[in-house]
Amino acid sequence: MWVCGAVFRLRALAGPRKGLCPASGCRGPAAASYSASADPPRVRALVYGHHGDPAKVVELKNMELAAVGGSDVHVKMLAAPINPSDIKILVGGNYGLLPELPAVGGNEGVGQVIAVGSNVTGVKPGDWVIPANPGLGTWRTEAVFSEEALIEVPSDIPLQSAATLGVNPCTAYRMLMDFEQLQPGDSVIQNASNSGVGQAVIQIAAALGLKTINVVRDRPDIQKLTDRLKNLGAEHVVTEEGLRKPEMKNIFKAIPQPRLALNCVGGKSSTELLRQLAPGGTMVTYGGMAKQPIIASVSLIIFKDLKLRGFWLSQWKKDHSLDQFRELLLTLCDFIHRGQLTAPACSEVPLQDYQRALEASMKPFVSSKQILTM
Amino acid sequence: MWVCGAVFRLRALAGPRKGLCPASGCRGPAAASYSASADPPRVRALVYGHHGDPAKVVELKNMELAAVGGSDVHVKMLAAPINPSDIKILVGGNYGLLPELPAVGGNEGVGQVIAVGSNVTGVKPGDWVIPANPGLGTWRTEAVFSEEALIEVPSDIPLQSAATLGVNPCTAYRMLMDFEQLQPGDSVIQNASNSGVGQAVIQIAAALGLKTINVVRDRPDIQKLTDRLKNLGAEHVVTEEGLRKPEMKNIFKAIPQPRLALNCVGGKSSTELLRQLAPGGTMVTYGGMAKQPIIASVSLIIFKDLKLRGFWLSQWKKDHSLDQFRELLLTLCDFIHRGQLTAPACSEVPLQDYQRALEASMKPFVSSKQILTM
């Protein structure tokens, strides 16, 4: 299902004029809808009209900016990351939400409020805002959004932290809190530990006094990666191959077996995570990078009472109020203010160099997130 | 771990005299331990000294009956089934509990109390008793058990029901009650629907007003099996192949998608059960007949929030009091008294014909449970 807040209308200046809002009456975040004003301001946006190879289907287009209605907010985007889920949506993969096309890419990012409509009370010019939900289309210089599509964040946190706050750290925190009652000293195991979520898990877990066992794919610069993750607070860093070796047992002489496993890979990696879990423990799956199903031993599930769950932030947000989401963001900002949570390693790329950024974001073993700056 | 109540001592008359109780001080159910009396009564038991082909490793042996101590109960066994788990234990497979060897086979059955020790208050001569836990060794004519190893059941239910009450119907009832809050009209899907648990699920679910979708392996007499399961209360009976066909959707025009799936097979069958589940639903695994791991789609787990759990009655009993187990048995007896729960189709076989019974119990597509009578 495509949530209402994510439906938007856009009109490329050079393209045909089309009504693109499928839900009539839905006043979604009118990104750059047709405006009757004589000389509307022009903005640039990364638009795609069909699914496919991201570097080929995405185009930088000039668009008109919609008029600011009573409940609207005019936002100047500051920075917006390219996340793995953005790529998955661009290629039209098996993802929970797929937008109506044409669409502006990007689901995350931070912008600054330039102007607000007369009925807007939640934000004011100068405030920093992030999308309340995915599908906003953040890869653009400016936009007019409805107030309800946005959520304010403190403007005293680093720009990269704000631009990457709304998805990965939220996912990491909820997975650490909502499935097992963990106490300081307990351990957590995860794969894809170098991902945006993985790095947030390491840092938030460390701040909560939890020990993390972090599985990564082997690579030429493994020691460099190990050092970097340990510097973030990782207790142990092991490769997928190391995870299958008997020496894994040595880890659990010093720390308890994990009651929580976080799986973003699937396939064999998920089988191994399950094998490391303490009796009664839970594996939470939030991604499937290996493009293989989860393979789980029947006897472990029965005799060790292991639990398999899934986590999807969009579902969590549907099940919770906007105030609860706001509270979650403020909790994360507390970690940031205390220096316990930093943005993942980022490469800032100007919007017009989007092709370079898209290509870089799809390379294997890329250790830095591409962030488009406007 | 081998629970204390399951440790027993036995001495085959023809064999060497050995102390076989590994846990010294543990007064387990002294099945037929060495007795100092001049001419101890002789009993027959199906004993195995090592793991392997059941029909080869199991022998009918004469044994001495232990003296009845103050807390002991002398029981004449009436009937004891051969369950798939018994076979799994005999072959030494990947099972949660494996007994010390030599051991008397059989984990389930019903006996009648002949005499009790002076401290026994819970049962009296004439009462029917079943094992409180697996590992009792029920394939024998008589035994002396400690009172705590036994639990009384009403003697006004059919013998076959009593002999098969303590494991499969308990497993079926707990799985229906403990994972999803089901309401009359809700549906449940299961595979291995012709198993002992499967037949109990069909009947208990029907008694609770739940609709069952029952997956079975295709076979020459499929219509006969379908009729029999429908006669027990099955709403739908489909083959594993039928489960993968688009026509499955038609079922859900009349009844809701299941929120609970019960998996005793693993492999592809479990993948398909998951595909049929309603969003947020739970698949409970309690067996792995296909000897293949559970294969679960990452996207279903994330975007449909499916949950995978396991159930093992031994663990449930560890986590609950004997009174709670007694209450469970009485609940099941209420179903039996009301004619809503019958024993699975059974073939009664005299103890001395155990080889025929063991062989029959291992044949594929056997639709009747072998019950040894003493």
Side-chain angles (χ1 to χ4, degrees):
Chain A
M1 202 188 74
W2 185 237
V3 294
C4 177
V7 173
F8 52 86
R9 289 175 287 175
L10 63 86
R11 180 178 161 231
L13 277 183
R17 184 167 170 179
K18 284 194 280 191
L20 291 169
C21 182
S24 67
C26 165
R27 176 79 185 101
S33 65
Y34 173 73
S35 163
S37 68
D39 188 15
R42 292 186 179 182
V43 300
R44 287 171 304 145
L46 293 179
V47 179
Y48 62 109
H50 54 276
H51 296 290
D53 177 355
K56 287 182 185 156
V57 297
V58 173
E59 291 176 283
L60 186 62
K61 291 199 173 181
N62 289 320
M63 291 167 57
E64 293 175 11
L65 194 66
V68 179
S71 302
D72 292 342
V73 180
H74 179 190
V75 176
K76 174 184 172 356
M77 292 304 298
L78 301 173
I82 301 176
N83 287 319
S85 58
D86 296 323
I87 300 296
K88 218 167 171 182
I89 290 170
L90 279 173
V91 299
N94 186 6
Y95 203 77
L97 298 178
L98 283 180
E100 296 284 322
L101 300 186
V104 176
N107 292 281
E108 214 188 358
V110 62
Q112 187 161 37
V113 175
I114 293 175
V116 300
S118 54
N119 303 329
V120 170
T121 55
V123 292
K124 58 184 187 310
D127 285 349
W128 279 13
V129 288
I130 66 171
N133 285 300
L136 200 61
T138 53
W139 296 345
R140 54 178 126 196
T141 53
E142 289 176 51
V144 173
F145 298 117
S146 73
E147 181 186 9
E148 65 195 16
L150 302 170
I151 194 160
E152 192 198 343
V153 295
S155 58
D156 62 354
I157 59 173
L159 185 72
Q160 292 183 353
S161 292
T164 58
L165 183 65
V167 179
N168 290 342
C170 295
T171 298
Y173 184 81
R174 292 266 58 101
M175 292 196 299
L176 287 170
M177 299 305 285
D178 294 350
F179 294 90
E180 288 285 339
Q181 297 290 318
L182 301 176
Q183 304 297 327
D186 282 346
S187 78
V188 174
I189 191 165
Q190 67 169 341
N191 55 24
S193 307
N194 190 36
S195 67
V197 172
Q199 293 183 44
V201 164
I202 291 171
Q203 295 180 84
I204 296 169
L208 297 170
L210 304 171
K211 316 284 188 188
T212 53
I213 301 143
N214 299 280
V215 185
V216 295
R217 288 172 295 174
D218 201 4
R219 63 193 74 198
D221 60 345
I222 183 73
Q223 190 57 49
K224 196 171 147 199
L225 174 61
T226 300
D227 293 345
R228 194 161 55 75
L229 297 185
K230 286 201 172 182
N231 201 39
L232 288 178
E235 183 83 6
H236 293 280
V237 179
V238 296
T239 62
E240 291 281 356
E241 293 71 28
L243 185 62
R244 290 179 214 139
K245 292 197 178 146
E247 292 80 44
M248 271 301 288
K249 266 187 282 185
N250 297 336
I251 287 181
F252 302 114
K253 288 176 184 165
I255 63 173
Q257 272 193 292
R259 288 201 289 123
L260 182 66
L262 306 177
N263 169 41
C264 188
V265 177
K268 278 183 199 169
S269 182
S270 57
T271 312
E272 292 300 317
L273 285 194
L274 284 167
R275 216 161 56 83
Q276 304 298 337
L277 272 180
T282 300
M283 181 171 82
V284 181
T285 293
Y286 66 99
M289 280 169 48
K291 293 181 184 164
Q292 288 168 358
I294 295 163
I295 303 165
S297 148
V298 165
S299 62
L300 286 184
I301 288 188
I302 299 176
F303 300 128
K304 274 182 75 179
D305 190 25
L306 301 187
K307 303 171 186 75
L308 275 68
R309 299 287 305 274
F311 182 79
W312 186 29
L313 187 64
S314 295
Q315 188 62 49
W316 184 89
K317 289 202 280 192
K318 269 190 221 170
D319 297 341
H320 293 79
S321 68
L322 199 63
D323 276 346
Q324 287 172 307
F325 183 41
R326 196 171 279 123
E327 193 183 328
L328 169 57
L329 293 172
L330 291 178
T331 300
L332 294 169
C333 287
D334 286 343
F335 288 118
I336 295 169
H337 286 139
R338 287 195 296 262
Q340 295 170 320
L341 177 62
T342 58
C346 291
S347 299
E348 293 192 3
V349 180
L351 185 68
Q352 62 269 24
D353 296 337
Y354 66 96
Q355 284 194 311
R356 175 160 60 90
L358 284 168
E359 278 160 13
S361 71
M362 289 185 289
K363 280 192 188 143
F365 303 129
V366 169
S367 284
S368 74
K369 186 178 281 292
Q370 306 296 307
I371 294 207
L372 299 167
T373 53
M374 287 71 174
Chain B
M1 202 187 74
W2 183 239
V3 292
C4 178
V7 173
F8 53 85
R9 288 175 288 175
L10 62 86
R11 182 180 160 226
L13 278 183
R17 184 165 170 181
K18 286 195 278 189
L20 292 169
C21 182
S24 66
C26 166
R27 177 81 185 100
S33 67
Y34 173 72
S35 161
S37 67
D39 189 15
R42 290 183 181 183
V43 300
R44 285 173 306 147
L46 293 179
V47 179
Y48 61 111
H50 53 276
H51 296 291
D53 179 355
K56 287 183 185 155
V57 298
V58 172
E59 290 177 281
L60 185 62
K61 290 199 174 179
N62 290 319
M63 291 166 57
E64 292 174 13
L65 194 66
V68 179
S71 302
D72 291 343
V73 179
H74 179 190
V75 176
K76 177 185 171 351
M77 292 304 297
L78 301 173
I82 300 175
N83 287 318
S85 58
D86 297 323
I87 301 295
K88 218 167 173 185
I89 289 170
L90 280 174
V91 300
N94 187 4
Y95 202 77
L97 295 179
L98 282 181
E100 295 284 320
L101 300 186
V104 175
N107 292 281
E108 213 187 0
V110 62
Q112 186 163 38
V113 175
I114 294 174
V116 300
S118 54
N119 304 329
V120 170
T121 55
V123 293
K124 58 186 185 308
D127 284 350
W128 279 12
V129 287
I130 67 170
N133 285 300
L136 200 61
T138 53
W139 297 346
R140 55 178 127 195
T141 53
E142 289 176 51
V144 173
F145 297 118
S146 73
E147 182 185 7
E148 68 195 14
L150 301 170
I151 194 160
E152 193 197 343
V153 295
S155 58
D156 63 353
I157 59 172
L159 185 71
Q160 290 182 356
S161 291
T164 58
L165 184 65
V167 179
N168 291 343
C170 295
T171 297
Y173 184 80
R174 292 265 59 102
M175 292 195 300
L176 287 170
M177 300 305 286
D178 295 349
F179 294 90
E180 287 286 338
Q181 297 289 319
L182 301 175
Q183 304 296 327
D186 282 346
S187 78
V188 175
I189 192 166
Q190 67 168 342
N191 55 22
S193 307
N194 190 35
S195 67
V197 172
Q199 293 183 44
V201 164
I202 290 171
Q203 296 179 84
I204 296 169
L208 297 171
L210 304 171
K211 317 283 188 189
T212 53
I213 301 142
N214 300 279
V215 185
V216 294
R217 287 173 296 174
D218 201 5
R219 62 193 75 199
D221 61 346
I222 183 75
Q223 191 55 49
K224 197 170 145 197
L225 174 62
T226 300
D227 293 344
R228 192 160 58 74
L229 297 186
K230 286 202 170 180
N231 202 37
L232 288 178
E235 184 84 7
H236 293 280
V237 178
V238 297
T239 62
E240 291 282 356
E241 293 72 28
L243 184 63
R244 287 177 218 141
K245 292 194 177 148
E247 292 81 44
M248 271 300 290
K249 265 187 280 183
N250 297 336
I251 287 181
F252 303 114
K253 288 175 184 165
I255 61 173
Q257 272 194 294
R259 290 201 289 124
L260 181 67
L262 305 177
N263 168 41
C264 187
V265 177
K268 277 182 197 169
S269 183
S270 57
T271 312
E272 292 301 318
L273 286 194
L274 284 167
R275 216 162 55 84
Q276 304 298 337
L277 273 180
T282 300
M283 181 170 83
V284 181
T285 292
Y286 67 99
M289 280 169 48
K291 294 182 184 163
Q292 288 168 359
I294 295 163
I295 303 164
S297 146
V298 165
S299 63
L300 286 184
I301 287 189
I302 299 176
F303 300 127
K304 275 182 72 180
D305 190 24
L306 301 188
K307 303 169 186 76
L308 275 69
R309 301 285 305 272
F311 182 79
W312 186 30
L313 187 63
S314 295
Q315 188 63 48
W316 184 89
K317 289 203 280 192
K318 267 189 224 172
D319 296 341
H320 293 79
S321 69
L322 199 62
D323 276 346
Q324 286 173 308
F325 183 42
R326 198 172 277 123
E327 193 185 328
L328 169 58
L329 293 171
L330 292 177
T331 300
L332 294 168
C333 287
D334 286 344
F335 288 118
I336 294 170
H337 286 138
R338 288 196 294 265
Q340 295 171 320
L341 178 62
T342 58
C346 290
S347 299
E348 293 192 3
V349 180
L351 185 67
Q352 62 268 25
D353 297 337
Y354 66 95
Q355 284 193 313
R356 175 160 61 88
L358 284 168
E359 277 160 12
S361 70
M362 288 184 290
K363 281 190 186 142
F365 302 130
V366 169
S367 284
S368 73
K369 186 179 281 291
Q370 306 296 305
I371 294 210
L372 299 167
T373 54
M374 288 69 175

